[in-house]
Amino acid sequence: MAVDVTMQGRVAVVTIRNPPVNAVSAAVRQALWDLIPGLDADAVVLTGAGKMFVGGADLTEFDRPVEEPTLPQVIARIEGSAVPWTAAVHGVALGGGLELALACHRRVAAPGTRFALPEVSLGIIPGAGGTQRLPRLIGVSAAIPVVAEMASLDTEAALAVGLVDHIATGDLVAEAVGLALTPVPERAFAPPAPQVWAEAEARIRRSAKGATAPLLALAAVRHGVENGLTEGLRHEREVFLHLRASEQAAALRHLFFAERTAPRPVALRDTTPRPVTQVGVIGGGTMGVGIAAALRNAGLPVVLVEQNEAALARAMTALSAIFDAAQRKGAMSASDAEARLKGVRGVVGYAGLAECDLVIEAVFEDLPTKRAVFAELAQVCAPQAILATNTSYIDPRLIVESLPQPDRFLGLHFFSPAHLMKLLEVIPLPDTAADVLAAAFALAGKLRKIPVQSGICDGFIGNRILRRSRAAAEALLHQGVPFADIDAAMRGYGYAMGPFEVQDLAGLDISYMHRQAARAAGQDVPRTPGDILVEAGRKGQKTGGGWYDYAPGDRSPQPSAQTAALLAGVLPPPVTMPPEAITAALLTAMADEGQAILAEDIAQTPAEIDLVLVHGYGFPRQRGGPMFQRARGDKTGQMT
């Protein structure tokens, strides 16, 4: 039964039972709709079974026509009830769950409850009164961040703004029942000062990054404030239904389901992960320090290894700077920053790794260097310790070739900055044990990263597609399309930076060295315009110039006369290409390479490829990923 009723005196306790998150599915809505008119009670308490009140709507219904009774219809029946309703809220009240609570005449919450309207993260706006009732309850200024900016309120904050009337100190339902027959508090509502709208719009426009829902959510709030509740509810529902059928909403639902399944591969669900309680990191460069910071943010003790005292001191200083920056931004307290740094033990040499359950190598991308590191680890580390390489391109089988206990090796490809980027490519070797692979996915969960398993190939999933898309961008250069036009087209599509701006940020010398290594190994790698720039000393932002020029302390790309002169005899005269044609060329290259990766079993599903591109390479989230775009193009006849 989706909903049941018990009586406590003259108070009916209505409990939603729809595990795992009590989603307000069609069955729940129908049960509530049928139940409400027949309740013989002087008051009603609405609650959720299990660990939470209601976790939101059933998103699987969004690809089907709307089914009645709709949530707005159920809410209107609750709100219009002749007897008072009290929401007894615990765990979370998200989306439609919060809208249900708002329909009630009073809200009692357990400590630790979280309230949010995350609809804009799914390309929609609240569609059952959230944009209208929340501002009238807590005020427009407090409501806008929740409605349009994905902010959430904990129990104490909800009490402070008036969303919650009482925080339970004992049994939640019992205390709600005790309050259910007491007078309902009156609330006054006053429209905000005019500048509130302008300030919110400017703030949301900056952060939306091409997403349409946040600004439409703000507009819905304003429309209701200026035109009344009835008109506001009508307008909200109209916008909700329009967005529900939009490409952005479909793309974001695609990613939502992919992100939900990524941490729990079906093949590993019955496998107990090998325990990881202390982690070693070898290499105190940018990547190693970022990995160490990510591990400490997850509460794991870290042993950080460098070759000498000077290098170790630089690494610890860089690590301290990461925590200090987080403290300045308000992401952690001074005591937290101090504790996280204290949880890192810096050592010179490998002896300090003997007690680590997992060791992650993050040294220079050079096969002999990495082989030497793993040869040492095989001697020093405990037999059950997991040994992982952070290589971006090198075949990990070559790194650990001939070493004992091959079941404990794997690749863990972090993305820089590792303490911020959410993607983690997990690369098992042929002999990697199931509990070692399960430990990698469990680690990703602790680090709050999105893990994607990759087979072994040059560049794995992400860098392989990156190379293909870069080649497509360079092919456009050789057709005469200016690199600034290519960058502008990709920014217009939703990327934060174009491909040549990204090369300047990362350093042109990184891919140059990789090409040089391939040439030294006898591979036929054509020279590129990037080679010419690097050999002229233009390696990107770090040298003040790459494809673009950069002023000291300013990362804004400026046109470069030197770059134009260096490439004048290499590239043809400039031509004009529509931005849509530019983006189509690059998207086609990404999707084609993704299809080849699927055919070779390097990735298991198209959604995994989309997760890699979105979380590791800046693909605009509201577009869903290149494979999602390919699938939509197959239906509509063109890549969008």
Side-chain angles (χ1 to χ4, degrees):
M1 181 178 293
V3 177
D4 64 38
V5 183
T6 59
M7 297 298 297
Q8 296 193 20
R10 291 297 301 161
V11 177
V13 177
V14 176
T15 304
I16 297 173
R17 299 185 185 277
N18 186 23
V21 299
N22 291 331
V24 280
S25 63
V28 170
R29 298 194 305 273
Q30 187 67 58
L32 287 170
W33 180 261
D34 294 340
L35 174 153
I36 293 168
L39 286 173
D40 181 15
D42 294 337
V44 179
V45 169
L46 178 65
T47 193
K51 296 181 179 180
M52 65 183 67
F53 179 67
V54 172
D58 183 350
L59 293 184
T60 63
E61 295 180 0
F62 277 47
D63 292 319
R64 306 197 300 263
V66 175
E67 300 177 54
E68 292 191 344
T70 65
L71 187 57
Q73 290 171 330
V74 172
I75 283 175
R77 183 164 276 191
I78 291 172
E79 199 170 43
S81 173
V83 300
W85 282 58
T86 297
V89 188
H90 66 294
V92 297
L94 303 181
L98 178 50
E99 289 174 310
L100 267 178
L102 289 170
C104 295
H105 306 96
R106 176 190 289 108
R107 283 147 297 280
V108 176
T113 303
R114 184 167 65 92
F115 301 85
L117 292 170
E119 282 87 348
V120 294
S121 69
L122 293 168
I124 55 177
I125 70 169
T131 70
Q132 305 303 306
R133 294 186 179 90
L134 188 65
R136 285 170 171 78
L137 184 65
I138 69 174
V140 169
S141 294
I144 286 172
V146 179
V147 171
E149 299 175 85
M150 292 184 285
S152 63
L153 300 173
D154 61 20
T155 310
E156 290 73 20
L159 180 68
V161 297
L163 172 57
V164 165
D165 301 290
H166 172 75
I167 298 177
T169 56
D171 183 271
L172 172 66
V173 172
E175 292 191 31
V177 168
L179 291 168
L181 294 172
T182 61
V184 175
E186 295 287 335
R187 298 288 171 84
F189 171 69
Q195 65 266 25
V196 168
W197 301 116
E199 291 170 359
E201 181 176 353
R203 186 175 67 244
I204 294 168
R205 192 175 297 279
R206 285 194 302 270
S207 62
K209 298 178 181 178
T212 58
L215 285 169
L216 290 176
L218 174 67
V221 174
R222 185 169 189 172
H223 188 86
V225 169
E226 294 178 347
N227 295 279
L229 177 62
T230 300
E231 169 59 20
L233 290 171
R234 185 206 64 77
H235 174 77
E236 174 198 78
R237 190 65 179 175
E238 179 181 89
V239 174
F240 167 81
L241 292 173
H242 171 74
L243 291 176
R244 185 181 187 267
S246 69
E247 180 189 334
Q248 283 197 12
L252 292 168
R253 287 198 302 274
H254 163 73
L255 290 175
F256 172 84
F257 289 118
E259 289 163 350
R260 191 168 68 173
T261 58
R264 302 184 300 275
V266 174
L268 296 175
R269 288 186 182 170
D270 296 326
T271 302
T272 301
R274 192 172 295 192
V276 172
T277 57
Q278 182 171 234
V279 184
V281 178
I282 302 175
T286 300
M287 181 60 77
V289 167
I291 293 171
L295 293 164
R296 287 302 300 132
N297 288 340
L300 288 165
V302 174
V303 177
L304 181 60
V305 176
E306 257 297 355
Q307 299 180 55
N308 53 61
E309 293 292 348
L312 182 59
R314 288 192 296 271
M316 295 300 291
T317 298
L319 188 58
S320 178
I322 288 176
F323 297 138
D324 288 344
Q327 180 190 339
R328 288 193 299 272
K329 293 177 181 177
M332 66 179 70
S333 66
S335 60
D336 285 339
E338 181 181 1
R340 293 186 196 195
L341 189 62
K342 283 185 176 179
V344 179
R345 180 163 62 94
V347 299
V348 173
Y350 299 108
L353 300 171
E355 297 181 359
C356 290
D357 307 299
L358 165 66
V359 178
I360 303 170
E361 165 271 310
V363 303
F364 185 68
E365 191 78 349
D366 174 72
L367 179 57
T369 302
K370 291 181 182 288
R371 283 182 59 86
V373 168
F374 275 87
E376 292 279 356
L377 294 179
Q379 297 297 318
V380 171
C381 294
Q384 73 277 8
I386 301 168
L387 304 182
T389 175
N390 181 59
T391 183
S392 303
Y393 286 99
I394 300 173
D395 186 335
R397 294 170 297 190
L398 300 177
I399 296 173
V400 301
E401 191 175 26
S402 302
L403 292 179
Q405 295 171 293
D407 65 320
R408 62 173 173 168
F409 299 118
L410 81 164
L412 292 177
H413 182 206
F414 290 80
F415 289 73
S416 186
H419 60 292
L420 299 177
M421 295 292 284
K422 292 188 69 174
L423 179 64
L424 178 64
E425 282 185 322
V426 179
I427 304 104
L429 280 64
D431 294 317
T432 300
D435 65 337
V436 169
L437 186 57
F441 280 89
L443 176 68
K446 290 180 182 178
L447 301 182
R448 297 185 178 180
K449 294 190 181 295
I450 301 293
V452 175
Q453 183 171 323
S454 172
I456 297 173
C457 64
D458 189 22
F460 311 115
I461 297 171
N463 280 336
R464 176 169 162 177
I465 293 176
L466 177 64
R467 181 182 295 137
R468 178 72 177 268
S469 64
R470 281 183 173 176
E474 290 191 2
L476 293 179
L477 285 184
H478 288 287
Q479 294 174 35
V481 182
F483 59 82
D485 289 3
I486 298 171
D487 282 341
M490 298 310 286
R491 289 196 306 272
Y493 186 74
Y495 275 86
M497 305 173 75
F500 298 98
E501 292 172 307
V502 170
Q503 289 182 42
D504 275 359
L505 175 64
L508 277 70
D509 54 323
I510 295 175
S511 55
Y512 173 80
M513 288 187 291
H514 185 68
R515 290 191 297 271
Q516 288 291 81
R519 290 163 184 150
Q523 297 181 32
D524 182 18
V525 179
R527 281 180 59 75
T528 71
D531 293 341
I532 296 170
L533 297 179
V534 171
E535 290 164 2
R538 297 183 64 84
K539 301 178 182 179
Q541 290 185 14
K542 59 189 174 186
T543 59
W547 293 97
Y548 300 91
D549 284 340
Y550 301 88
D554 185 359
R555 293 190 174 187
S556 303
Q558 303 297 327
S560 172
Q562 185 182 3
T563 293
L566 286 168
L567 301 181
V570 178
L571 300 177
V575 300
T576 299
M577 178 178 282
E580 297 81 6
I582 294 172
T583 56
L586 269 62
L587 287 174
T588 297
M590 294 179 201
D592 285 348
E593 195 64 27
Q595 203 63 49
I597 285 171
L598 289 170
E600 298 169 24
D601 292 328
I602 301 300
Q604 299 304 305
T605 67
E608 290 177 342
I609 295 173
D610 287 338
L611 288 178
V612 169
L613 271 292
V614 167
H615 288 292
Y617 296 85
F619 197 99
R621 184 175 180 84
Q622 67 271 15
R623 302 281 189 175
M627 308 313 291
F628 173 83
Q629 290 293 326
R630 167 62 59 85
R632 286 186 71 82
D634 289 344
K635 295 176 183 178
T636 64
Q638 61 180 356
M639 295 275 282
T640 54

